[in-house]
Amino acid sequence: MNLELRHLKVVCAIAETGSVTKAASQLGLAQPALTAQLQRIERTLGGPLFDRDRRGARPTALGELVLSRARVLLPAMKGLQDEAARLAAGGDHDTMTRYRIGAIGGPVVAHLVHRLSGAQPEAQISTHASYYISELAGMVLAGKLDYAQVGVCGDALPSAEYGLVWQTIGVDAVCVLMPDDHPQAKNLSVDLAELAEEQWVASAGDGCFGDCFAAACARAGFAPRRVLESDVRNCVDMVELGLAIGLCQPTFRPPAGLTSRPLRGAPLRWRLVLGWHPESVASRSAPKLMEHAQEAYQEILARNEHYTQWVQSQTMGGSNSHLAAA
């Protein structure tokens, strides 16, 4: 017997209901017929998928493996059938019904998903997190993701070698994360040269940000004493403990007791971009997704009052002209 999608639906139904009897009722089958079908599936796969007793049916290790694959394959097939039916009926060719979005940290993806869910309540949306552009770009190229939302130093886009189209969501000055009582926290912006004696912490990544930060420090007349690298939670902990001050985006919302200030003159800028394969189905929905992403980004920035005030204090034709979304 060859394994078919209907067999995977049987396995999922038994796991979800915890009972062959309940699964049979859910699927509209007689319990003996479903039991016989499960036995055929188990023979095909080479072992029992469930431990069954008076308390119900619980997946075995083999059952968990089959379920993990089924829970990917069944929604994917449903999405394919829905999109095929929509295209065959002459529906909107530029509207996707499934979105797989990879992202490197930050709140933009959450707000993007919120806006997308509101605009398309029926859409299937999944996310994948990574610190590395190369990983996300590879997953887009492999068809495992539709879009990659990443960040790069403000004067560049991700390498063309990734083979993706990249468009800018927004560009802003990098900020310093510090305790509320730090001497520089009273200012609207922070002079990098005034922080020459500090120790630093920043989140991990695979871009050139570390080199760009070192170059900015050199232009300010010093070499950073120490730069620690960790995940966002540990970065926050280190700042709270007074071990270091952090580097963050203006979209980052500091916890109580911490605050952020932009670096004066924007010696470091961070560009948020969205990427997709130019020949994929996702490319047709990219303009709408970009619109959602840029609106989400502006919404997040607006909640950072200090940063908004600083941007407004700059001369539109001068120092902040490079900070606008492109």
Side-chain angles (χ1 to χ4, degrees), residues 187-228:
N187 301 318
L188 196 59
S189 62
V190 179
D191 186 346
L192 183 57
E194 295 294 325
L195 303 173
E197 298 303 314
E198 297 282 358
Q199 295 192 95
W200 299 83
V201 65
S203 59
D206 63 352
C208 62
F209 183 77
D211 293 336
C212 292
F213 175 62
C217 291
R219 291 193 297 271
F222 72 97
R225 290 174 57 198
R226 187 181 185 187
V227 181
L228 303 169

Side-chain angles (χ1 to χ4, degrees), residues 249-298:
Q249 302 171 42
T251 53
F252 177 72
R253 180 184 292 177
L258 301 184
T259 190
S260 67
R261 295 291 184 273
L263 287 168
R264 191 169 303 153
L268 283 170
R269 296 181 296 278
W270 193 246
R271 181 185 300 267
L272 294 178
V273 300
L274 187 70
W276 59 88
H277 194 287
E279 297 178 2
S280 67
V281 174
S283 66
R284 297 199 294 267
S285 291
K288 291 182 180 179
L289 202 70
M290 276 297 302
E291 183 179 344
H292 286 309
Q294 289 175 336
E295 289 174 353
Y297 178 70
Q298 294 301 325

